[in-house]
Amino acid sequence: MTVGVGFCLVFLFLKVQFSASTQSNQVVLLDTTSVLGELGWKTYPINGWDAITEMDEQNRPIHTFQVCHVMEPNQNNWLRSNWIFREAAQKVYVELRFTLRDCNSIPWVSGTCKETFNLFYMESDEAHGIKFKSSQYTKIDTIAADESFTQMDLGDRILKLNTEVREVGPITGKGFYLAFQDIGACIALVSVRVYYKKCPFTFRNLATFPDTIPRVDSSSLVEVRGACVKNAEERDTPKLYCGADGDWLVPLGRCVCSVGYEELDGACIACRPGFYKAFAGNIKCAKCPPHSYSYDDGSQLCYCEKGYFRADKDPPSMACTRPPSPPRNVVFNINETSLFLEWSPPSDTGGRKDLTYNVLCKRCGPGLQQCELCGGELRFVPRPQGLTNASVTVLDFTAHANYTFEIESQNGVSELSSFPRPVAAITISTDQGGPSLVGMVQKDWASQNSIALSWKEAEQPSLPVVDYEIKYYEKEHEQLSYSSTRSKMPSVIIAGLKSSTVYVFHIRARTPAGYSSYSPKFEFETGDEASDMAADQGQVLVIVTASVGGFTLLVILTLFFLITGRCQWYIKAKMKSDDKRRAQYQNGHGPFPGIKTYIDPDTYEDPTQAVHEFAKEIDTSRIRIERVIGAGEFGEVCSGRLRTPGKKEIPVAIKTLKGGYVERQRKDFLKEASIMGQFDHPNIIRLEGVVTKSRPVMIVVEYMENGSLDSFLRKHDGHFTVIQLVGILRGIASGMKYLSDMGYVHRDLAARNILVNSNLVCKVSDFGLSRVLEDDPDAAYTTTGGKIPIRWTAPEAIAYRKFSSASDAWSYGIVMWEVMSYGERPYWEMSNQDVILSIEEGYRLPAPMGCPVALHQLMLHCWQKERSHRPKFTDIVSFLDKLIRNPSSLLTLVEDIQGLPESPGDVPDYPMFISISDWLDSIKMGQYKNNFLAAGFTTLDSVTTMSIEDVRQIGVTLIGHQRRIVSSIQTLRLQLLQVQEKGFHV
Ligand code: ADE
């Protein structure tokens, strides 16, 4: 007997409302709710399951299968789906919606009524039609209802719909059947949905990633390489991983917009006319620099306006420039042997700094019809071409000849211009300068040490007088030396003379055409003690008066003040600068009281003196060289032993200067010893002494058994505890604190320049930058010609050589990263150019694997763009000390907090603890830096308190920008919270 009819009628009366929701990462293979015609599923036996099709409100069919033979024992009713094409699926999901009647609610059925049914499948490459053999099917699961319903529920019209999902796979055949086995339950199967999951096509970091089917094994991911969007190119191979649930995970690498294109909303759009972008990267198109233009969309470069040019080496961002105007005001000064030409720079340098001059000589002798180029007999000092100073001396000219000198100014774009070169010309007769333009010279007054003179100007000079040159000497010592001074007026006061001494004066005028002849010689005597009470100092001071009359008194008073009031200055000026340096060093008047100041050996005229001031000379008989352990630019590095009378023999490293060196190399070599010898700290390599009095010249330092830190770490990859690594970092920081307190900037701080001894003590080495950088394989030439270890160097030091203890702190951050990654190369195989670019874009090295958050925070702190925001070495040492005292602070690894919820949308991640400016750049909102600063938000901490209203208030008016900023602030807040929990404060 069956209760089916009553139940079914009631069931059909109750319309089941459901809507199938398909997510974007699901591909549906079958959905019975969307099949419009007959389903055509088979039932075995024919009267087991009933197929009922009803219409919903929208006139769409609801295909329902029901069975309810609860009163009859041994039920075995099968319902089989049609053949389902697998498509690309490897694993499918079967979602069943059904109702199931509670057996207890049906009288007289105990023993026969069931509350479950079974789900089966069978793979096959083709449809079998009606053929059905239950033994060919594999069971997927027994399906039970979470909720069954009773007769009462029916009365209340409450229908309890169950949804169950089962995974089936791996499936390899072209398709499969599903089968439902009823063994005596009262079931209505309302819908069957079969789907598989995929990671859907997506855009990430300017790359597209195709639809990807996850692996069947849910623990392994599918690595997918992205393709750059149009007009973008790979920076680091863009990759995503497709997870088993159809989610994209772990974005790596990225594409950047190509030259001529900039990023906007995930696409690369062409630069507008008037703008350009010369490099690939996430930088914006820039406005064409002055005197250049671009007409087309997507310009890589701007064209120069007519008459303006760009030299080969000019960067695209530089304004176009033009050749300079000619030099001005050429004057000359001639005597029997030399002709000195001098001129003023052109009024228009063309906008460039690489101005030079060429001097061309033409000779126009009396017998010559026209001018000819001068032969090779003339000598120009320093040279006739490529002069950087606005003067040249001409030697070996012929007397009684006319020379015309054409002086041409040129710059880096002169070659590119087709216009004739602008020149200034002057013709000079080597007969001699013209008549003297100086009349009678008279003494206005004389004191014990000074004399005031004045003279008559020429009545009507053919050329204006530029100034006068006054030459004077002691009459008694005419042959020894003379002094000279200049005055623009026909008067002068000459001070600093000896008392009661006769001086000889002669004066000549300078006009644009050169000097006139000298006036006759005039002799005047200085006064004695009685003649001038103020004159009791012995220094030479020359003051040129502005005019003779009333001004003379003012000048005398000024002179009096200077002479009497500046006694101290005079005494100081007399003190030898080397002595001063020595006193400063020995007294410890450095930037920090009580700490010695580093003295640059280059300030010594004689480098040997500096070496002996700071390094002990070692007799070679005390040194025993044992082995060669390395090679430097100057010679081998050896290990050996050093004996000191009354002391234990110690192991040493010996750097040698190989034979055939020039003085410059010897100086550079010994410079390192002069620097090292000034230091005395357990984390700075100790200088034992030098050998300079015999060959080879040597520098002897303490021996560090474990060699350089980078190779030491690589050799012992993963061998140390975090505390040991922090100990290493603490030592280096302590050495660097000592150096910065001494006022010494290292400039090449890197793990390769740290040495490690047998007790794992690290010591900073490699001093004397010029030599060290020549040696350093990681130092590269910059565009300005300097050699710089790019990966370790702060941006301001790369860009404009601003080296400081703050740039050393940046390098220290890189050393931290090297240490925590066991000697990995910073920025891996990225090119130097890419490193510079990515740093500029706000990218910072991520935490090495297993790196505690607190240490990565410290690194990021060291890599702040604004150098004054970086920690001082003293802060670094005390922070590391705190970590060592409280090792639990090192337990949170960066990996642990990386799983935190990400900011919604496509707001890019930014590193923690960067400046506001870096942060805004990283979310491409750099245009609001000034708004934040003007509103008093100067630290990231303060930003985390901002609401959307605050963001609006500071002038961010676009809603999209407000959202982007606020969502990034939320992430920032979360990161800050994490960090504060760890008690990070530097
Ligand atoms: N290589 C260069 N200097 C060294 C030193 N002091 N000890 C060991 N190896 C070195």
Side-chain angles (χ1 to χ4, degrees):
M1 186 195 160
T2 166
V3 294
V5 182
F7 162 61
C8 294
L9 285 176
V10 175
F11 174 76
L12 285 176
F13 184 69
L14 297 166
K15 299 255 176 70
V16 180
Q17 290 293 316
F18 56 86
S19 62
S21 69
T22 303
Q23 294 166 19
S24 67
N25 62 354
Q26 295 179 359
V27 183
V28 177
L29 299 176
L30 165 73
D31 185 352
T32 56
T33 64
S34 59
V35 177
L36 293 179
E38 280 297 310
L39 263 181
W41 287 17
K42 304 291 175 223
T43 57
Y44 307 92
I46 207 86
N47 59 349
W49 289 80
D50 263 347
I52 297 158
T53 301
E54 240 261 324
M55 292 298 174
D56 70 6
E57 282 86 355
Q58 278 93 38
N59 222 16
R60 285 178 315 206
I62 302 174
H63 301 284
T64 305
F65 294 93
Q66 28 180 72
V67 67
C68 196
H69 305 290
V70 287
M71 300 231 174
E72 295 149 47
N74 307 324
Q75 290 298 305
N76 187 17
N77 305 311
W78 288 81
L79 169 68
R80 191 206 69 179
S81 72
N82 294 339
W83 185 72
I84 304 166
F85 177 43
R86 170 172 72 91
E87 297 185 5
Q90 299 184 25
K91 177 162 80 173
V92 296
Y93 297 80
V94 181
E95 182 194 82
L96 307 175
R97 292 181 182 213
F98 61 95
T99 57
L100 200 135
R101 177 109 180 233
D102 182 353
C103 287
N104 291 331
S105 71
I106 313 172
W108 310 297
V109 294
S110 65
T112 52
C113 178
K114 303 285 184 307
E115 291 187 353
T116 60
F117 63 99
N118 297 319
L119 176 63
F120 288 79
Y121 81 111
M122 182 186 75
E123 286 190 52
S124 82
D125 285 341
E126 58 193 356
H128 295 313
I130 55 163
K131 204 173 78 189
F132 175 76
K133 249 196 197 163
S134 62
S135 60
Q136 291 174 329
Y137 282 73
T138 309
K139 183 167 172 182
I140 298 168
D141 205 356
T142 299
I143 313 289
D146 288 336
E147 311 239 32
S148 50
F149 67 90
T150 63
Q151 192 66 40
M152 213 151 64
D153 295 328
L154 276 176
D156 295 343
R157 298 182 159 230
I158 301 167
L159 203 71
K160 288 166 180 169
L161 194 63
N162 297 282
T163 304
E164 293 290 328
V165 179
R166 295 294 181 271
E167 286 177 24
V168 187
I171 297 183
T172 49
K174 280 200 187 129
F176 58 95
Y177 288 98
L178 290 178
F180 306 84
Q181 184 195 25
D182 163 55
I183 47 169
C186 200
I187 314 159
L189 187 57
V190 178
S191 81
V192 178
R193 208 161 69 88
V194 182
Y195 59 89
Y196 65 93
K197 288 187 181 173
K198 68 167 183 190
C199 295
F201 172 90
T202 189
F203 283 95
R204 213 59 87 82
N205 294 336
L206 291 178
T208 57
F209 296 84
D211 278 345
T212 304
I213 310 302
R215 292 235 162 83
V216 182
D217 163 17
S218 57
S219 63
S220 68
L221 308 175
V222 183
E223 182 186 301
V224 182
R225 198 180 158 146
C228 293
V229 298
K230 201 159 166 235
N231 300 315
E233 55 200 64
E234 280 188 10
R235 177 54 55 82
D236 275 329
T237 310
K239 274 189 220 159
L240 278 177
Y241 288 87
C242 176
D245 277 337
D247 299 323
W248 289 110
L249 309 166
V250 208
L252 291 177
R254 63 193 172 128
C255 298
V256 292
C257 290
S258 303
V259 290
Y261 290 84
E262 65 183 349
E263 189 191 343
L264 186 71
D265 298 332
C268 291
I269 56 152
C271 299
R272 285 174 289 144
F275 288 75
Y276 76 105
K277 197 180 116 190
F279 303 103
N282 285 345
I283 42 174
K284 290 274 160 205
C285 297
K287 221 170 159 26
C288 286
H291 303 298
S292 69
Y293 62 90
S294 67
Y295 285 141
D296 300 325
D297 282 340
S299 293
Q300 307 180 2
L301 217 57
C302 298
Y303 298 106
C304 290
E305 288 168 6
K306 197 154 181 252
Y308 286 86
F309 308 91
R310 188 173 281 127
D312 277 352
K313 288 192 175 145
D314 288 353
S317 56
M318 185 171 147
C320 290
T321 52
R322 60 180 172 184
S325 59
R328 296 166 302 144
N329 309 331
V330 187
V331 292
F332 71 95
N333 182 3
I334 188 166
N335 63 25
E336 291 77 25
T337 55
S338 65
L339 166 62
F340 180 71
L341 286 172
E342 198 178 10
W343 55 90
S344 309
S347 55
D348 175 11
T349 58
R352 304 185 64 87
K353 295 210 170 80
D354 52 358
L355 180 70
T356 57
Y357 306 97
N358 298 330
V359 180
L360 183 77
C361 172
K362 291 178 181 167
R363 194 167 160 195
C364 310
L368 299 168
Q369 289 308 305
Q370 3 162 242
C371 294
E372 285 181 346
L373 288 182
C374 303
E377 75 276 4
L378 286 196
R379 271 195 300 137
F380 290 84
V381 178
R383 60 193 163 271
Q385 307 272 314
L387 296 165
T388 48
N389 289 334
S391 63
V392 69
T393 302
V394 186
L395 303 171
D396 302 345
F397 52 80
T398 313
H400 311 297
N402 280 340
Y403 287 99
T404 297
F405 292 94
E406 289 181 357
I407 298 146
E408 167 190 281
S409 42
Q410 69 166 29
N411 63 18
V413 294
S414 294
E415 297 287 340
L416 303 172
S417 167
S418 52
F419 287 107
R421 302 278 175 89
V423 294
I426 188 166
T427 300
I428 295 164
S429 161
T430 54
D431 285 345
Q432 207 18 279
S436 165
L437 298 175
V438 179
M440 182 66 187
V441 178
Q442 70 172 46
K443 178 169 95 174
D444 292 334
W445 52 263
S447 73
Q448 205 178 350
N449 302 106
S450 12
I451 285 179
L453 304 176
S454 60
W455 55 90
K456 283 221 153 43
E457 291 175 278
E459 288 282 297
Q460 275 178 328
S462 52
L463 287 167
V465 172
V466 177
D467 60 8
Y468 295 95
E469 183 190 49
I470 303 101
K471 228 175 174 184
Y472 59 98
Y473 50 87
E474 275 178 56
K475 188 176 180 199
E476 273 190 22
H477 299 119
E478 180 170 359
Q479 305 308 322
L480 290 182
S481 68
Y482 67 83
S483 306
S484 74
T485 185
R486 287 179 180 279
S487 168
K488 286 201 183 309
M489 296 295 162
S491 60
V492 70
I493 294 175
I494 300 178
L497 305 178
K498 284 190 191 159
S499 66
S500 308
T501 306
V502 177
Y503 283 86
V504 177
F505 299 88
H506 56 163
I507 299 169
R508 61 178 176 166
R510 190 163 66 118
T511 71
Y515 282 100
S516 72
S517 309
Y518 274 108
S519 69
K521 292 177 177 167
F522 294 89
E523 296 179 10
F524 300 111
E525 188 175 1
T526 48
D528 56 17
E529 262 179 39
S531 67
D532 188 346
M533 16 181 302
D536 62 348
Q537 303 296 317
Q539 70 198 83
V540 177
L541 186 64
V542 177
I543 292 190
V544 178
T545 59
S547 77
V548 234
F551 259 82
T552 311
L553 182 60
L554 179 64
V555 170
I556 295 168
L557 288 174
T558 310
L559 180 67
F560 177 79
F561 166 74
L562 284 172
I563 293 171
T564 54
R566 295 296 175 103
C567 191
Q568 275 297 91
W569 166 82
Y570 173 66
I571 292 167
K572 276 194 187 148
K574 282 209 135 199
M575 187 175 169
K576 273 179 76 185
S577 59
D578 284 359
D579 295 343
K580 214 170 51 168
R581 272 194 308 261
R582 200 170 303 118
Q584 186 193 32
Y585 175 72
Q586 284 157 0
N587 296 337
H589 296 315
F592 296 89
I595 295 178
K596 286 191 293 190
T597 310
Y598 159 74
I599 299 170
D600 182 354
D602 285 340
T603 58
Y604 282 77
E605 260 172 44
D606 175 8
T608 316
Q609 191 199 344
V611 176
H612 289 122
E613 185 126 4
F614 300 118
K616 278 187 250 152
E617 178 74 25
I618 299 177
D619 194 287
T620 33
S621 62
R622 290 175 46 210
I623 302 170
R624 193 173 76 238
I625 294 182
E626 287 174 340
R627 276 178 314 118
V628 176
I629 55 172
E633 210 216 351
F634 289 93
E636 280 87 32
V637 183
C638 306
S639 63
R641 321 279 300 173
L642 175 70
R643 267 186 302 104
T644 307
K647 284 196 185 158
K648 226 177 102 192
E649 199 176 67
I650 57 162
V652 285
I654 304 142
K655 295 185 179 187
T656 59
L657 174 62
K658 60 176 172 248
Y661 54 81
V662 294
E663 188 49 30
R664 167 98 236 145
Q665 288 169 314
R666 180 177 181 275
K667 188 175 157 215
D668 281 352
F669 177 74
L670 288 174
K671 185 173 168 188
E672 183 171 20
S674 308
I675 296 171
M676 226 189 303
Q678 298 183 44
F679 305 141
D680 177 16
H681 188 272
N683 296 103
I684 305 292
I685 195 86
R686 191 181 65 251
L687 176 73
E688 295 296 341
V690 290
V691 176
T692 62
K693 301 220 163 98
S694 60
R695 300 290 167 268
V697 173
M698 296 186 244
I699 298 176
V700 182
V701 299
E702 66 179 304
Y703 186 64
M704 302 292 284
E705 292 80 355
N706 280 311
S708 60
L709 178 60
D710 61 336
S711 48
F712 174 70
L713 288 168
R714 277 179 218 127
K715 212 156 92 196
H716 297 93
D717 192 357
H719 285 189
F720 302 113
T721 61
V722 169
I723 284 286
Q724 277 175 311
L725 296 177
V726 176
I728 286 175
L729 293 175
R730 200 263 178 212
I732 302 167
S734 173
M736 287 309 296
K737 169 177 154 35
Y738 175 82
L739 293 182
S740 68
D741 288 351
M742 287 272 287
Y744 179 78
V745 178
H746 191 290
R747 298 182 177 210
D748 195 13
L749 178 60
R752 64 183 168 280
N753 291 332
I754 305 289
L755 291 168
V756 188
N757 73 10
S758 54
N759 296 322
L760 275 199
V761 176
C762 285
K763 307 202 181 196
V764 182
S765 80
D766 283 67
F767 302 96
L769 185 89
S770 57
R771 185 196 70 65
V772 169
L773 286 184
E774 281 312 314
D775 252 356
D776 190 338
D778 266 307
Y781 287 100
T782 61
T783 46
T784 47
K787 218 180 169 201
I788 283 178
I790 301 290
R791 282 152 216 272
W792 282 262
T793 305
E796 75 277 4
I798 296 174
Y800 51 97
R801 291 162 175 269
K802 179 71 203 155
F803 285 96
S804 60
S805 290
S807 64
D808 276 352
W810 178 291
S811 313
Y812 179 80
I814 304 288
V815 172
M816 286 187 72
W817 191 89
E818 290 184 278
V819 169
M820 297 315 294
S821 61
Y822 282 92
E824 176 64 274
R825 183 169 170 73
Y827 311 95
W828 306 275
E829 296 317 314
M830 275 168 78
S831 69
N832 281 343
Q833 200 48 42
D834 285 352
V835 170
I836 294 172
L837 226 100
S838 57
I839 289 296
E840 187 53 38
E841 282 175 20
Y843 172 81
R844 296 294 184 269
L845 281 168
M849 227 168 56
C851 178
V853 173
L855 292 179
H856 190 230
Q857 287 301 321
L858 180 54
M859 293 177 206
L860 293 171
H861 207 33
C862 292
W863 301 328
Q864 303 230 42
K865 188 173 182 173
E866 171 57 53
R867 66 177 185 279
S868 62
H869 294 173
R870 295 176 203 150
K872 307 276 173 289
F873 281 107
T874 182
D875 303 323
I876 297 176
V877 172
S878 49
F879 177 65
L880 294 177
D881 280 342
K882 268 190 220 151
L883 295 185
I884 293 169
R885 278 198 302 272
N886 178 17
S888 64
S889 58
L890 293 164
L891 290 180
T892 308
L893 307 184
V894 172
E895 294 91 298
D896 300 338
I897 64 163
Q898 262 162 1
L900 285 171
E902 265 185 59
S903 47
D906 55 356
V907 179
D909 283 346
Y910 52 85
M912 295 177 270
F913 275 87
I914 50 176
S915 64
I916 288 199
S917 155
D918 285 347
W919 164 62
L920 286 172
D921 284 342
S922 77
I923 57 169
K924 303 196 177 63
M925 292 284 108
Q927 66 269 41
Y928 296 114
K929 283 176 199 170
N930 287 341
N931 301 50
F932 277 80
L933 290 181
F937 293 97
T938 50
T939 64
L940 278 184
D941 284 51
S942 61
V943 165
T944 57
T945 61
M946 290 178 84
S947 65
I948 191 156
E949 189 48 45
D950 296 333
V951 173
R952 225 173 269 143
Q953 294 253 321
I954 66 166
V956 182
T957 48
L958 296 176
I959 291 178
H961 289 186
Q962 290 168 2
R963 287 218 188 105
R964 181 178 282 208
I965 290 171
V966 167
S967 121
S968 182
I969 286 176
Q970 281 163 0
T971 314
L972 191 59
R973 210 175 279 146
L974 204 70
Q975 293 180 333
L976 213 64
L977 219 88
Q978 287 285 329
V979 171
Q980 278 161 357
E981 273 170 17
K982 295 285 146 257
F984 177 86
H985 284 289
V986 174

